[in-house]
């Protein structure tokens, strides 16, 4: 495999351990609104996606209405949700530092708003490493699983899709990276990860960030 010129990191589930916490809260909210669901369903089907796309899907396929202010209320509640500590994904900082040491460009591209990334990356001390290049699905017309976000990040950073790799943990994100024409490495260490879904989506599977430098490769 060739050494990439740009490494694009997803945020939730790749840099910060937030997916389970957020999806438990989401299941509570959706059930309260009349959409019967479980944490497991939300974790499998809604991970890696923006709340706007989740709302659009639910309201298109059911009679449930989440309210015009659903996304705003969700985002307003995030500081409290993550106030009690967010941890970085084990060993991801070491990989980021290896990318930096190799002189390879990198950025973060997430379904989350930049304001949310400031909260979660800030809690883990990773924010200073990414403030130079943060991309959100709010910057494009279509979020994951569409390729728009990753293509936007690559174009803004000045690289062709074929020169980029994506580090993901969700099926939607993996699909987005593959659709963008990029190599995607799909992290599945979390027991609630959809390992089979990631494989079907075309991701190169791994479950330990310490393996990643050799898999990518970065030197």
């Amino acid at each position: 495999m060739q050494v990439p010129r740009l490494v694009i990191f997803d945020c939730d589930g790749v840099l910060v351990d937030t997916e389970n916490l957020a999806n438990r809260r989401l299941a509570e909210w959706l059930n309260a609104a009349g959409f019967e669901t479980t944490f497991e369903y939300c974790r499998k089907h809604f991970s890696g996606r923006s709340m706007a796309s989740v709302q659009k899907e639910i309201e298109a396929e059911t009679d449930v209405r989440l309210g015009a202010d659903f996304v705003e209320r969700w985002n307003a509640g995030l500081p409290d949700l993550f106030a009690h500590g967010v941890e970085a994904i084990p060993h991801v900082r070491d990989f980021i530092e290896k990318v930096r040491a190799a002189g390879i460009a990198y950025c973060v591209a997430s379904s989350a708003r930049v304001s949310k990334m400031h909260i979660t990356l800030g809690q883990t001390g990773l924010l200073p490493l990414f403030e130079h290049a943060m991309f959100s699905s709010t910057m494009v017309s279509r979020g994951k699983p569409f390729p728009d976000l990753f293509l936007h990040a690559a174009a803004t950073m000045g690289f062709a899709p074929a020169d980029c790799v994506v580090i993901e943990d969700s099926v939607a994100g993996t699909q987005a990276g593959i659709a963008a024409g990029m190599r995607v490495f799909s992290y599945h260490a979390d027991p609630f990860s959809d390992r089979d879904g990631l494989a079907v989506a075309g991701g190169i599977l791994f479950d330990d960030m310490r393996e990643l430098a050799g898999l990518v490769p970065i030197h």
Side-chain angles (χ1 to χ4, degrees):
M1 283 188 180
Q2 67 181 30
V3 176
R5 298 182 64 199
L6 175 66
V7 178
I8 304 176
F9 292 87
D10 175 42
C11 188
D12 296 291
V14 168
L15 298 176
V16 293
D17 187 9
T18 51
E19 289 284 20
N20 293 334
L21 186 61
N23 279 287
R24 285 193 175 90
R25 170 69 63 86
L26 179 59
E28 293 173 0
W29 277 41
L30 295 180
N31 278 300
F35 180 79
E36 295 186 9
T37 190
T38 62
F39 157 71
E40 290 79 9
Y41 181 91
C42 291
R43 184 69 171 85
K44 182 173 182 178
H45 294 278
F46 297 144
S47 289
R49 294 177 49 188
S50 68
M51 283 302 107
S53 73
V54 170
Q55 179 176 14
K56 184 177 180 180
E57 177 181 311
I58 289 174
E59 295 188 347
E61 298 181 358
T62 73
D63 293 329
V64 173
R65 294 295 174 264
L66 299 178
D69 63 344
F70 172 74
V71 174
E72 292 302 325
R73 287 189 294 111
W74 175 264
N75 285 298
L78 293 179
D80 176 65
L81 179 62
F82 298 128
H84 304 295
V86 172
E87 294 185 0
I89 294 296
H91 310 294
V92 74
R93 179 185 283 273
D94 292 339
F95 176 70
I96 298 166
E97 294 293 357
K98 288 177 180 177
V99 171
R100 284 161 54 90
I104 298 171
Y106 69 96
C107 63
V108 59
S110 172
S111 293
R113 294 184 178 187
V114 171
S115 58
K116 177 188 174 184
M117 288 188 271
H118 273 273
I119 294 170
T120 56
L121 293 175
Q123 285 267 9
T124 58
L126 295 176
L127 183 59
L129 298 175
F130 287 95
E131 283 182 299
H132 70 286
M134 304 175 74
F135 300 96
S136 164
S137 62
T138 59
M139 300 173 180
V140 294
S141 59
R142 303 178 303 176
K144 305 171 187 179
F146 296 99
D148 304 32
L149 175 59
F150 292 138
L151 292 174
H152 171 66
T156 303
M157 297 289 287
F159 298 98
D163 293 326
C164 304
V165 299
V166 173
I167 315 300
E168 263 289 351
D169 72 305
S170 71
V171 174
T174 299
Q175 292 171 330
I178 295 296
M182 303 173 182
R183 281 184 291 146
V184 182
F185 294 84
S186 300
Y187 181 64
H188 64 91
D190 189 297
F192 293 107
S193 294
D194 185 0
R195 186 184 188 281
D196 293 340
L198 294 170
V200 170
I204 301 166
L205 303 185
F206 74 104
D207 62 4
D208 190 327
M209 286 291 173
R210 289 172 292 189
E211 302 172 6
L212 196 50
L215 291 173
V216 170
I218 59 169
H219 51 73

